[in-house]
Amino acid sequence: MYKKRRDAYLNNINDQSISLFFSGVSPQKSNDQHYHFSVNRNFYYLTGINQQNVVLMTLKGNNEAHSYLFIETIDPVKALWDGAGLSFEEASKVSGIDLTHVKDILTLKSFLNGLVSTNRRAAYGFIESLYLDLERQSENSAATQAGQFSSYVQTTYPYLNIKTNQLVLAELRTVKDEQEIELVNKAVDITYKGLNRIMDTLKPGVYEYEIQAEYNYVLNKHRTDTSFDTIAASGQNATVLHYVENDSKILDNTLVLFDLGVDYEFYCSDVTRTFPANGKFTKRQKEVYEVVLEANKKTIEWLKPGITMKEFNDYGKNILIQGAKRIGLIKEDAEISKYYYHSLGHYLGLDVHDVGNYSKEIPVGALITVEPGLYIAEEGIGIRIEDDIYVTKDGSINLTKKIIKEVKDIETYMNKN
């Protein structure tokens, strides 16, 4: 699987080039403490290896291409404290890279020097470009391993043309294979169980963080983690898109918006549901909820490959506009911006807000969220309904379909006892 992905990557970059991908390292937290390690997703996508301080090199030379892996040798003393890490043989097996191409990371710079020196040109040709995983969206890209290595190369090999491979990987990662969808489905299944526990325990008088703790309990039981900071927003808190304090008491006759997800072997779910605290929607809450639900369901039904992100956003937004007019929330189309102020969805995968070329049409195999919402601060109502949709050649498949969202289903479930 990982070799197939590396081959696809190599088919999309220039000849006579070297590419480097760094797994990353844990930043220091304080004194001898470090933050939890989170592997670089592009590196993981191409290798399947979850370990610090590992480098993937791909080489595209004279009519041939090769992959190399640079990894730390096992230190017996370090192994007593932190674990041994992967052996060369284990790294080879996981990544699918030939064992003879797995090398000590201390030899990376000398190996690179050999590739670009004159005595190796007969074998690989004149290397012109070095592709690095430079994160253009990050103001701190110089602090990354790729950024630091870029500075080293510019000084040592000024004739090499440094390029970023971000867009190439973004487009490749947009199209999910069967194994990726299987992992997302496992994340969704745990999310489903977590949301059911939320409905089982939600009631007026408890605090938002208490319900969040119930969700976390389910994730802990499955040895998984959240894919992003959980939003458990009651009443007017739900009109703040990125509310994460989760410290308010949940009052009677209010709605509670839960935007949450699961990280299952680095693949993410991202689901939003909005529930009545006491198990029963008021007339007004139901009225607004049904507008958002209509936008959610109709957009999912309409979503298909070949449409642009703009068309996707405009389609759902227009349904919200017509619904908001119907319930007397707005009179003019432009007024919708007061009550709906985010895009309709985003790509999903190894990251919650996954990489992808948003200027291109949505391809077959994309995984995208559909999450319309309405936020009426003056009424203390915030509603969003979000599903994870797999785009197929025939339309779309709702991976989160079993997570209930109809008014009658929610009320029946929450009042089953």
Side-chain angles (χ1 to χ4, degrees):
M1 175 175 66
Y2 300 111
K3 182 182 184 304
K4 183 179 179 181
R5 292 177 184 174
R6 291 192 296 271
D7 289 344
Y9 167 76
L10 286 163
N11 287 335
N12 282 276
I13 61 172
N14 293 344
D15 294 340
Q16 310 311 129
S17 65
I18 295 171
S19 300
L20 292 176
F21 298 88
F22 297 82
S23 69
V25 294
S26 295
Q28 188 167 351
K29 188 175 184 179
S30 65
N31 197 17
D32 60 349
Q33 296 291 308
H34 288 76
Y35 288 100
H36 177 72
F37 173 65
S38 183
V39 67
N40 178 280
R41 296 307 193 257
N42 283 337
F43 171 86
Y44 182 81
Y45 177 78
L46 294 171
T47 66
I49 290 176
N50 176 29
Q51 183 168 304
Q52 295 191 62
N53 202 28
V54 185
V55 180
L56 167 68
M57 173 188 286
T58 65
L59 171 64
K60 190 174 182 181
N62 285 332
N63 302 314
E64 58 181 318
H66 299 284
S67 294
Y68 296 88
L69 202 63
F70 295 84
I71 192 168
E72 293 178 335
T73 57
I74 293 177
D75 180 340
V77 176
K78 182 176 181 293
L80 296 175
W81 291 84
D82 302 319
L86 294 174
S87 67
F88 282 23
E89 291 79 9
E90 289 168 332
S92 171
K93 184 177 180 179
V94 171
S95 65
I97 293 174
D98 190 274
L99 180 58
T100 61
H101 285 192
V102 181
K103 302 180 179 298
D104 189 325
I105 195 167
L106 296 177
T107 68
L108 173 61
K109 289 183 178 179
S110 61
F111 190 83
L112 175 65
N113 183 67
L115 293 175
V116 299
S117 64
T118 55
N119 63 333
R120 296 296 291 274
R121 289 179 188 170
Y124 296 106
F126 182 78
I127 301 298
E128 300 174 350
S129 303
L130 175 65
Y131 285 89
L132 292 169
D133 192 6
L134 299 171
E135 302 175 13
R136 289 182 293 177
Q137 74 273 24
S138 173
E139 295 180 3
N140 231 358
S141 59
T144 66
Q145 287 181 294
Q148 292 167 2
F149 205 85
S150 174
S151 298
Y152 163 76
V153 169
Q154 287 174 329
T155 302
T156 312
Y157 310 106
Y159 48 85
L160 280 181
N161 183 17
I162 295 178
K163 297 177 176 289
T164 180
N165 48 31
Q166 283 275 307
L167 188 56
V168 173
L169 266 297
E171 295 200 13
L172 290 176
R173 281 175 51 185
T174 301
V175 178
K176 270 61 180 179
D177 57 34
E178 291 181 4
Q179 292 94 331
E180 291 177 293
I181 294 302
E182 181 181 348
L183 292 172
V184 173
N185 272 324
K186 289 181 178 179
V188 166
D189 186 59
I190 298 168
T191 310
Y192 162 76
K193 293 173 182 176
L195 278 164
N196 283 350
R197 187 172 181 89
I198 282 174
M199 286 189 287
D200 290 338
T201 55
L202 180 60
K203 60 184 178 181
V206 301
Y207 282 85
E208 295 161 340
Y209 60 80
E210 294 182 89
I211 305 302
Q212 179 185 4
E214 299 291 344
Y215 177 72
N216 290 342
Y217 171 78
V218 173
L219 271 60
N220 290 341
K221 287 274 287 185
H222 288 83
R223 299 193 68 185
T224 56
D225 200 358
T226 57
S227 51
F228 58 95
D229 290 341
T230 297
I231 296 171
S234 62
Q236 193 162 346
N237 293 338
T239 66
V240 179
L241 293 184
H242 292 157
Y243 170 83
V244 292
E245 287 79 5
N246 302 344
D247 59 0
S248 295
K249 180 180 285 190
I250 297 172
L251 304 179
D252 196 15
N253 289 317
T254 60
L255 296 176
V256 190
L257 185 156
F258 296 95
D259 190 345
L260 40 74
V262 167
D263 178 331
Y264 187 91
E265 295 184 14
F266 304 109
Y267 281 87
C268 303
S269 63
D270 183 6
V271 180
T272 307
R273 290 294 187 264
T274 308
F275 302 133
N278 60 14
K280 181 74 175 177
F281 290 86
T282 67
K283 181 180 178 181
R284 179 58 170 172
Q285 289 168 352
K286 180 179 178 181
E287 191 176 50
V288 179
Y289 186 94
E290 292 288 4
V291 171
V292 178
L293 183 61
E294 179 186 24
N296 170 274
K297 291 165 64 176
K298 285 187 174 180
T299 303
I300 292 171
E301 184 179 352
W302 173 81
L303 183 58
K304 55 187 176 295
I307 65 173
T308 65
M309 276 293 195
K310 183 180 186 307
E311 290 170 332
F312 167 67
N313 279 285
D314 289 347
Y315 184 87
K317 184 177 182 179
N318 186 60
I319 297 172
L320 289 174
I321 289 171
Q322 301 310 313
K325 286 181 177 180
R326 189 169 63 247
I327 65 174
L329 184 61
I330 64 172
K331 293 182 179 179
E332 303 296 331
D333 290 6
E335 294 178 82
I336 195 65
S337 61
K338 180 180 177 182
Y339 303 106
Y340 170 65
Y341 28 82
H342 58 81
S343 61
L344 192 68
H346 53 80
Y347 288 122
L348 180 68
L350 282 167
D351 286 299
V352 175
H353 290 94
D354 207 20
V355 293
N357 191 338
Y358 283 73
S359 66
K360 286 192 172 183
E361 295 175 345
I362 297 172
V364 174
L367 185 60
I368 192 169
T369 65
V370 176
E371 48 180 307
L374 286 174
Y375 313 94
I376 313 172
E378 60 269 26
E379 297 183 36
I381 293 176
I383 297 169
R384 185 163 62 253
I385 305 170
E386 178 182 20
D387 286 290
D388 302 341
I389 310 301
Y390 182 46
V391 181
T392 70
K393 61 182 178 62
D394 300 316
S396 63
I397 299 172
N398 186 353
L399 302 185
T400 48
K401 184 177 181 179
K402 66 181 178 181
I403 303 175
I404 60 175
K405 59 186 176 181
E406 299 288 342
V407 167
K408 66 179 187 305
D409 293 335
I410 292 171
E411 291 184 340
T412 298
Y413 186 97
M414 294 185 69
N415 292 281
K416 63 182 182 297
N417 295 323

